[in-house]
Amino acid sequence: EDSEKLKSSVEGKASNLADALVPWSLGGTALTYLLTRNATKALSILMVDFSCALKLAMPLAVLSAMREASQHHITVKGGKFLEAVAEAETIVFDKTGTLTTGKFEVTDVSPVQGSKEELLELAALGEYNSNHPIAQSVKQAYGKEADTSRIGQVEEISGHGIHAQVQVDGVWKELYIGNQKLMERQSVAVTTPAAVLGTTLYLAEGTTYLGSIVISDSVRPDVPAMLAGLKKQGVSKLVMLTGDKEEVGKKVAESIGITHVFGNLLPGDKVAKVEQLLKEKPEGRTLAFVGDGINDAPVLARADVGIAMGGIGSDAAVEAADVVIMDDEPSKIVDAICIARKTVGIVKQNIIFAIAVKIAVLILVALGYATMWAAVFGDVGVSVLAILNAIRALSYKK
C-alpha cells in the first residue's frame, strides 16, 4: 500500500514537471525565440521606466535660469523661489529706497520760533549718530561740523524717530525728532505743512513744537518702465507701503501709476497689511514684497517671495530676501519674472514630453511593435532632448 502511494506521488510530480517543461520540447529554435522575446520585452520596459530625463533636465533648467539671472545682476536663492517669482500676481513695494532713489535732500525748513539755521542745527545735532538717509540729508543741509560735546544721550524710538539731549546756550534740552506719530505720542501739537513729495521731520523740545523740515527724494528713473513691464506680464495688483503720510505716498504713487497706497505705517503695520493682502490674493498665485531697509526685513520674510535691493539695502533685508537685485534697478524685477516664467515653461515641456514618450514606448513594447532601440530612445534619447531644452534657460533676452 505504501509503495503504491509513493508510485502515485512520483508519477504526479513527474507529470507537473513535464507540463512545466513543455516549451523545452518545442526545440532549440522555438525556445530561443520565446526566451529572447520575453527577455527583450522585460528589459525594454525596464529601460523605459528609468526617470533620467526628469531627474537631469529639471534641476539643470533651474540652475541654468539662476545662472542667467546672475548675469543680469539678479541673485535667486533657490529653485522654489524661482517658481514663486513666476507665479507672482501681486507685488508690494516699499517707497523709500525702492521706488525712490533714497538720496534725500532738504527742500523746506519751517521754524515756529527762531531761524531756519537754528532749527537745522538742532536737527543735525540730534541726528548726528544716525546713518539713516534722512539724517544724512539733514547733516548735509546743515553743512557745518557738529560740536559733539553738545550731544548727550540719544535714544532711537523704532518707527517714530529719536529722543536726544542737546545743549543750547549751556542748557541741556530734551529734543524729539521724528514723524507725526512721535509728536502725537509726546502730546505735541504740530503745524502740518501742505502735502509735498517728501518726508516731514518734526522737532519738539519736550511738548513745545519747534518746527518742521521737509526732506524729498526722487523717483528712480526706471520705475515707470518697470511698472509698464509688470503690467505687460500680467501682474494685476501693484501696492505701495510707506511710513510717510498717506497724502505724500499718494502723490508719489500718482506720479508713477500705482493705485493702491497705504501710508503712516510702522514696520509692524506693514507686516499686518501684507498678511491682509496674502489672504486676498488668488489661490495658486504668489505675493512678492520689494524693500531695502532693516525695517523691511520682517515683511520680506513673511511674503511668498521677498525681493531686496542689494546695493543700498541693509544686511538684514538682503539676508531675509529670497531674490536680491544687486544693482538696485527695479526694472530687473521684470527680468526676474520673465526668466522664472520661461524656466517654469521649459520644465513643464520636459515633464510632458518625457512622460508622453515613455507611455507611448511602453504601449508599443507591450504590444510587440517596438524593439529595444525604441526603449533606449525612450530613456537616453528623451534625456538628451530634455537636457538640450533645459539649456534654453541660458538664452534670456530682455
Side-chain angles (χ1 to χ4, degrees):
E1 184 179 351
D2 291 338
S3 63
E4 287 295 328
K5 288 182 180 180
L6 179 61
K7 179 180 178 182
S8 175
S9 175
V10 171
E11 288 176 351
K13 290 180 180 179
S15 176
N16 292 336
L17 181 61
D19 291 340
L21 296 177
V22 166
W24 293 83
S25 65
L26 298 178
T29 303
L31 177 62
T32 303
Y33 171 75
L34 288 172
L35 290 177
T36 304
R37 181 184 177 198
N38 292 333
T40 301
K41 186 179 291 186
L43 291 174
S44 298
I45 292 174
L46 184 62
M47 174 70 74
V48 177
D49 193 47
F50 290 153
S51 57
C52 297
L54 301 180
K55 291 180 179 178
L56 292 175
M58 291 173 63
L60 183 59
V62 172
L63 291 173
S64 297
M66 292 172 66
R67 187 262 184 189
E68 183 63 17
S70 70
Q71 295 296 306
H72 292 80
H73 306 286
I74 303 166
T75 299
V76 183
K77 296 183 180 180
K80 65 178 182 179
F81 303 125
L82 200 70
E83 184 179 0
V85 170
E87 299 297 328
E89 190 174 72
T90 301
I91 298 185
V92 183
F93 297 92
D94 173 56
K95 181 180 77 68
T96 304
T98 303
L99 294 175
T100 59
T101 60
K103 296 178 181 178
F104 294 90
E105 54 183 40
V106 173
T107 55
D108 183 67
V109 181
S110 303
V112 172
Q113 52 184 340
S115 65
K116 293 183 178 181
E117 289 74 16
E118 290 173 342
L119 189 67
L120 262 178
E121 182 182 38
L122 290 176
L125 289 171
E127 299 277 10
Y128 179 79
N129 294 311
S130 175
N131 291 322
H132 193 280
I134 290 179
Q136 297 291 337
S137 66
V138 170
K139 289 183 282 187
Q140 185 177 359
Y142 177 55
K144 299 177 184 178
E145 189 66 31
D147 183 359
T148 56
S149 64
R150 296 173 57 192
I151 304 172
Q153 291 185 345
V154 179
E155 175 193 4
E156 183 177 350
I157 305 172
S158 179
H160 290 75
I162 63 168
H163 169 216
Q165 294 179 339
V166 175
Q167 190 180 64
V168 180
D169 297 330
V171 179
W172 288 98
K173 296 187 175 183
E174 302 287 331
L175 289 184
Y176 292 89
I177 308 171
N179 56 24
Q180 191 166 359
K181 289 188 176 182
L182 178 61
M183 298 297 106
E184 292 173 356
R185 170 176 165 171
Q186 297 303 125
S187 301
V188 178
V190 302
T191 304
T192 305
V196 292
L197 288 177
T199 300
T200 303
L201 200 63
Y202 298 96
L203 282 83
E205 180 191 345
T207 58
T208 304
Y209 180 54
L210 300 179
S212 64
I213 298 173
V214 176
I215 300 100
S216 302
D217 64 343
S218 57
V219 174
R220 291 184 180 275
D222 63 341
V223 164
M226 174 199 68
L227 297 176
L230 291 176
K231 291 175 182 177
K232 186 176 180 181
Q233 291 301 317
V235 178
S236 61
K237 193 170 186 177
L238 300 171
V239 183
M240 187 178 80
L241 306 182
T242 177
D244 294 340
K245 292 186 298 182
E246 194 156 332
E247 295 80 5
V248 175
K250 285 182 177 178
K251 279 186 170 289
V252 174
E254 287 172 4
S255 69
I256 59 179
I258 292 180
T259 54
H260 299 82
V261 184
F262 301 95
N264 293 316
L265 299 178
L266 298 176
D269 299 329
K270 290 183 179 181
V271 174
K273 185 58 65 177
V274 167
E275 291 275 6
Q276 178 186 338
L277 293 169
L278 283 168
K279 294 177 182 178
E280 296 173 356
K281 69 180 177 67
E283 185 153 356
R285 308 296 285 176
T286 59
L287 179 146
F289 178 82
V290 188
D292 70 295
I294 189 171
N295 290 334
D296 296 327
V299 200
L300 287 165
R302 179 61 190 90
D304 292 325
V305 55
I307 304 174
M309 298 291 114
I312 67 169
S314 68
D315 292 341
V318 172
E319 181 69 24
D322 309 309
V323 179
V324 182
I325 309 299
M326 301 307 299
D327 54 6
D328 295 335
E329 294 183 12
S331 59
K332 294 295 177 65
I333 298 172
V334 181
D335 294 329
I337 290 176
C338 290
I339 292 172
R341 289 182 177 175
K342 179 178 180 179
T343 304
V344 170
I346 289 172
V347 170
K348 288 180 179 178
Q349 290 169 12
N350 284 344
I351 292 173
I352 294 171
F353 174 70
I355 292 177
V357 171
K358 286 178 180 294
I359 290 175
V361 173
L362 280 173
I363 293 172
L364 291 175
V365 168
L367 295 176
Y369 293 112
T371 63
M372 177 66 79
W373 290 110
V376 170
F377 172 77
D379 178 47
V380 180
V382 169
S383 297
V384 172
L385 293 176
I387 290 170
L388 292 175
N389 190 40
I391 294 175
R392 291 197 303 113
L394 291 170
S395 61
Y396 168 73
K397 295 180 180 178
K398 290 178 75 68

